[in-house]
Amino acid sequence: MTFPVNGNLYQHFTYFLKGDISKLYMTIAIRNLAMGMVGIFTPVYIFLYYHNSFALTALYFGLMFGLYGMFAVFGGRLLGRFGAEKCMFASSFFFIAHFLSLFFIETSSLLVPASLLTAALGLTLFWPAFHTEFARFSSQERRGSEAGRVNVAMIMPTILAPALGGVLLMFFGFPVLFIAASLLLLASVIPLFYAADHHEVYTDSFKVAWGRIFRKENRAVSTSLLSEGLEIGVSGYVWPVFLFLVAPQFSEMGFITSIALVGSSLFMLYAGRVSDTQRRTGLLNIGAIWTSLAWVLRYFIATPFSALLTNTNYEIARAASSVPYRTLFYERAALLREEADEFIIYFEVVSNMGRFFFFSGLAAIFWLFPLLPLQTTFFLGALFSLGLMLLGNPPKLRLPHAQKYENPAKRRQRDF
């Protein structure tokens, strides 16, 4: 890419932002720098707030995902009314409100439901909009490379983010960390000022959206989407608490996470190139099995150094599965054309309601058996990883003339 010879910094900046996919990359990069600084520490913050009760911690996040799952259809309606860019823009302010709720959570128990509600609304506004935009703007021929790049855009800033967050915690505590993340979230919306609004026509009712989950035709896809959501749930919300118990220094936690992300970010570019070929399914299968084995190895962690080694292995394995998985996911969404947003909302409902029941179940188990080792949940992570292989090949492209004469009610009801 070359920049104009004449012009000021502002002109160079707007030149770079002329592509919609570039705006999307920049928004997600800045956002993930912010969220990466707090992401691994938020479960620990809730864990400490509940006086080291993992049962209450699991219940907290189960309720958060349950709210998100219920709001997902509402998010699809907002996506159609206000456009993807405005939804992503608004989501940042709900996440900032979430951080403020956590900041003052010690002052009133009413801030617990406030933090849950603001987090759920932020997730509802951001992720359906982001997934729909990426499915729209990534090219069919290079969707694997684009998925690899967007994963790198999501991970590269967060390579430093956990270490930076750990240092901020060590010297200044959670208040400064939440303030820093909030400021970065405000910066993340700047590229969206240069983006044109894109509106989707979301047609599913709550009944239709939920009905898709249980249709026989969608069984394999639903199981795969559920498995991915649960595996990410264990990785994002159980693993940080366990890591804190092994490496209780926040700076140590941050550096273990950052170092592990270095290898995975490099591997993602290779995985993206492979995912542009017919070998994507093979890479997905290898990555899913590798990730499953990585979860089993995590069970035997006893020291910070062993946590570093096994976490690095896990992140690279997860890259091998997540890039082809996301390629197939976005390809399926893109080929559905005007129904892409219905598919994405269906994914959000399946994934997050699954997490609600899963974390609620964990809360009950650890309430009844508080001495149960936390790492026993890693075997569930290993099982969920294998479910990624069920996504399968995307559906055949439906031709415009076939869609033209198809009954609209039937089209809304059909499987994905």
Side-chain angles (χ1 to χ4, degrees):
M1 179 181 291
T2 57
F3 290 101
V5 175
N6 298 320
N8 55 29
L9 182 62
Y10 174 80
Q11 291 173 318
H12 292 176
F13 182 65
T14 55
Y15 181 86
F16 177 75
L17 288 177
K18 69 178 183 180
D20 284 314
I21 198 70
S22 296
K23 302 180 185 76
L24 203 59
Y25 284 165
M26 291 191 70
T27 292
I28 198 69
I30 300 171
R31 179 189 181 277
N32 277 276
L33 177 60
M35 302 304 283
M37 288 170 57
V38 298
I40 195 172
F41 302 112
T42 301
V44 176
Y45 184 81
I46 298 300
F47 181 66
L48 293 174
Y49 172 74
Y50 285 121
H51 306 289
N52 294 6
S53 170
F54 181 73
L56 292 176
T57 302
L59 181 61
Y60 176 91
F61 288 108
L63 291 173
M64 183 185 77
F65 288 123
L67 288 171
Y68 180 18
M70 289 189 293
F71 292 163
V73 176
F74 179 62
R77 298 293 176 86
L78 291 176
L79 183 61
R81 182 171 182 178
F82 297 106
E85 287 72 19
K86 284 188 174 69
C87 286
M88 287 190 284
F89 178 88
S91 72
S92 295
F93 296 96
F94 282 102
F95 283 118
I96 290 171
H98 171 65
F99 293 147
L100 287 174
S101 299
L102 294 178
F103 185 99
F104 295 107
I105 201 169
E106 295 283 356
T107 62
S108 173
S109 59
L110 293 176
L111 290 174
V112 173
S115 68
L116 290 169
L117 182 62
T118 50
L121 289 171
L123 293 167
T124 300
L125 287 168
F126 183 84
W127 284 114
F130 170 78
H131 290 314
T132 303
E133 288 293 88
F134 186 82
R136 176 192 293 273
F137 293 119
S138 58
S139 64
Q140 183 176 354
E141 297 79 9
R142 296 180 59 81
R143 189 162 283 121
S145 296
E146 296 286 3
R149 289 190 187 117
V150 79
N151 277 326
V152 171
M154 293 172 72
I155 284 185
M156 285 298 287
T158 58
I159 287 176
L160 293 176
L164 179 58
V167 170
L168 287 176
L169 278 175
M170 184 174 63
F171 287 104
F172 304 105
F174 277 100
V176 171
L177 180 63
F178 289 146
I179 291 171
S182 298
L183 293 175
L184 283 169
L185 280 174
L186 286 176
S188 73
V189 304
I190 294 175
L192 298 178
F193 286 123
Y194 298 87
D197 268 331
H198 298 94
H199 295 256
E200 300 290 332
V201 181
Y202 184 76
T203 58
D204 278 357
S205 65
F206 279 88
K207 181 179 179 180
V208 171
W210 284 71
R212 292 185 190 275
I213 301 173
F214 304 103
R215 296 192 66 191
K216 182 179 179 181
E217 298 87 342
N218 290 337
R219 191 172 296 164
V221 176
S222 293
T223 302
S224 181
L225 298 177
L226 175 64
S227 297
E228 199 235 5
L230 295 179
E231 195 275 337
I232 291 175
V234 179
S235 178
Y237 299 93
V238 180
W239 164 253
V241 176
F242 173 76
L243 183 59
F244 172 71
L245 297 176
V246 175
Q249 296 296 322
F250 289 127
S251 58
E252 202 169 30
M253 284 182 63
F255 281 109
I256 287 173
T257 305
S258 290
I259 292 171
L261 290 172
V262 173
S264 66
S265 63
L266 296 174
F267 189 83
M268 278 182 178
L269 295 175
Y270 166 76
R273 289 195 296 270
V274 173
S275 296
D276 283 330
T277 70
Q278 297 301 315
R279 294 179 292 165
R280 69 181 68 169
T281 302
L283 180 61
L284 171 60
N285 294 340
I286 292 171
I289 295 170
W290 184 3
T291 304
S292 182
L293 294 173
W295 273 114
V296 174
L297 289 176
R298 277 180 160 182
Y299 178 84
F300 301 99
I301 292 173
T303 65
F305 183 69
S306 61
L308 172 63
L309 293 179
T310 54
N311 195 41
T312 301
N313 175 58
Y314 168 80
E315 292 293 348
I316 297 174
R318 194 64 177 85
S321 61
S322 66
V323 174
Y325 188 89
R326 286 293 163 181
T327 303
L328 289 168
F329 174 84
Y330 287 123
E331 189 165 293
R332 183 180 289 269
L335 291 180
L336 288 169
R337 294 183 173 176
E338 77 278 1
E339 289 190 48
D341 52 337
E342 277 84 358
F343 175 69
I344 287 165
I345 298 301
Y346 155 72
F347 156 68
E348 297 293 353
V349 173
V350 170
S351 179
N352 289 288
M353 291 312 298
R355 291 174 186 170
F356 164 69
F357 288 110
F358 173 70
F359 278 100
S360 298
L362 283 185
I365 291 170
F366 279 89
W367 184 268
L368 294 173
F369 307 100
L371 298 181
L372 185 68
L374 189 58
Q375 60 266 40
T376 55
T377 59
F378 296 169
F379 291 108
L380 294 174
L383 177 64
F384 299 146
S385 299
L386 298 176
L388 299 178
M389 296 186 286
L390 296 174
L391 186 62
N393 294 318
K396 293 181 179 179
L397 179 64
R398 298 188 179 93
L399 298 178
H401 71 272
Q403 294 180 349
K404 179 179 179 181
Y405 297 105
E406 187 176 7
N407 185 294
K410 181 180 179 182
R411 184 167 66 240
R412 286 195 294 270
Q413 295 285 343
R414 70 188 168 204
D415 66 284
F416 289 121

